[in-house]
Amino acid sequence: IAGITQAPTSQILAAGRRMTLRCTQDMRHNAMYWYRQDLGLGLRLIHYSNTAGTTGKGEVPDGYSVSRANTDDFPLTLASAVPSQTSVYFCASSDSGGTQYFGPGTRLTVL
Amino acid sequence: AQSVAQPEDQVNVAEGNPLTVKCTYSVSGNPYLFWYVQYPNRGLQFLLKYITGDNLVKGSYGFEAEFNKSQTSFHLKKPSALVSDSALYFCAVRRSTDSWGKLQFGAGTQVVVTP
């Protein structure tokens, strides 16, 4: 593993179902972030964490939850998916200089 | 609150010509400024950043950006564009005092370089 990995690559999900997007980094960065990317809106921050055991809410947190049990993993959970959560989701981690490094993304479609 | 504006949805340029992608920002206190590039179906890749020091920042792939505090701008430039520079470019800002390191992104500018 080099950098950030995300799984799955893509997913089609029925509305109302629960879904967890996985994110793992091997750079030992303390800070991690989840964004969603929608056309014309750029990237919007969902949740973030600056160390294991601590998380915070970003710009669009409703309908999403995160956990940070260890340094490497930062899963994002949709408890009950809705069509407006159809988006491309990116996980990122940040080095001590503030530069964020992004994973390849998960394309999620909620029907 | 912090915000970023990228006034152009798309920039078209011929290969070999100079490329400029505009970005203006609003943030309380001193800004940290970033440029990222995204190729189709890929994650964002870091190009360059301004933290402090020289207003002209040089980054990857021949790109540079100039921090202008009075105009609150951080325009991305490349002297001679390549077809392979065609991609989506994002400007981002964060407050220097934000210990969480949260970035605010612009909506993105699509760059199209024609042969």
Side-chain angles (χ1 to χ4, degrees), chain A residues 37 41-43, chain B residues 4-13 19-23 34-40 43-48 60-65 74-78 80-92 105-113:
Chain A
Q37 182 180 18
L41 297 176
L43 277 77
Chain B
V4 176
Q6 294 182 241
E8 301 154 317
D9 292 336
Q10 183 165 313
V11 170
N12 298 298
V13 62
L19 169 64
T20 298
V21 186
K22 296 179 180 177
C23 172
F34 300 80
W35 276 102
Y36 285 84
V37 61
Q38 184 182 33
Y39 298 99
L44 277 69
Q45 296 179 28
F46 169 72
L47 280 179
L48 52 79
S60 306
Y61 312 120
F63 284 94
E64 60 187 29
F74 190 57
H75 302 329
L76 182 70
K77 300 180 180 182
K78 186 171 184 179
S80 179
L82 301 172
V83 172
S84 58
D85 293 328
S86 297
L88 186 58
Y89 291 79
F90 290 99
C91 181
F105 283 86
T109 298
Q110 184 70 48
V111 170
V112 178
V113 183

Side-chain angles (χ1 to χ4, degrees), chain A residues 33 35 37 40-43 45 48-50 55 59 90 97-100 102-104 107, chain B residues 34 36 38 41-44 46 49 51 88 90 94 99-107:
Chain A
Y33 310 84
Y35 295 90
Q37 182 180 18
L41 297 176
L43 277 77
L45 183 65
Y48 54 90
S49 168
N50 72 347
T55 62
E59 182 183 354
F90 289 100
T99 299
Q100 292 188 17
F102 287 78
R107 184 174 297 274
Chain B
F34 300 80
Y36 285 84
Q38 184 182 33
N41 300 313
R42 304 288 294 275
L44 277 69
F46 169 72
K49 67 181 178 184
I51 302 296
L88 186 58
F90 290 99
R94 61 166 275 201
S99 60
W100 294 88
K102 301 188 301 296
L103 293 181
Q104 180 73 44
F105 283 86

